[in-house]
Amino acid sequence: MNDIARLRLLKEARNLSGLSLDFWVDLTEGLDQRALEILVGKSSIFPKYMNSRGKP
């Protein structure tokens, strides 16, 4: 997968989830195109605002 296609998918995941692009870059590092596409398709199920300290 080229970098442009990967970035496009990561930006889509960011927009659907509300989570940062950095989060998606770290989470998907090493995934192939098919796995990334599946994860992006499910990205809207991630909590919109995740608190890193674990508080609700």
Side-chain angles (χ1 to χ4, degrees), residues 6 9-10 13 21-33 35-37 39-40 46:
R6 179 174 172 75
L9 287 169
L10 293 173
L21 190 57
D22 287 339
F23 170 85
W24 287 105
V25 168
D26 291 343
L27 182 67
T28 62
E29 185 177 345
L31 294 182
D32 63 17
Q33 180 176 354
L36 179 56
E37 289 171 351
L39 189 58
V40 169
F46 281 76

Side-chain angles (χ1 to χ4, degrees), residues 50-56:
M50 290 179 24
N51 187 327
S52 61
R53 292 177 293 210
K55 293 181 183 177

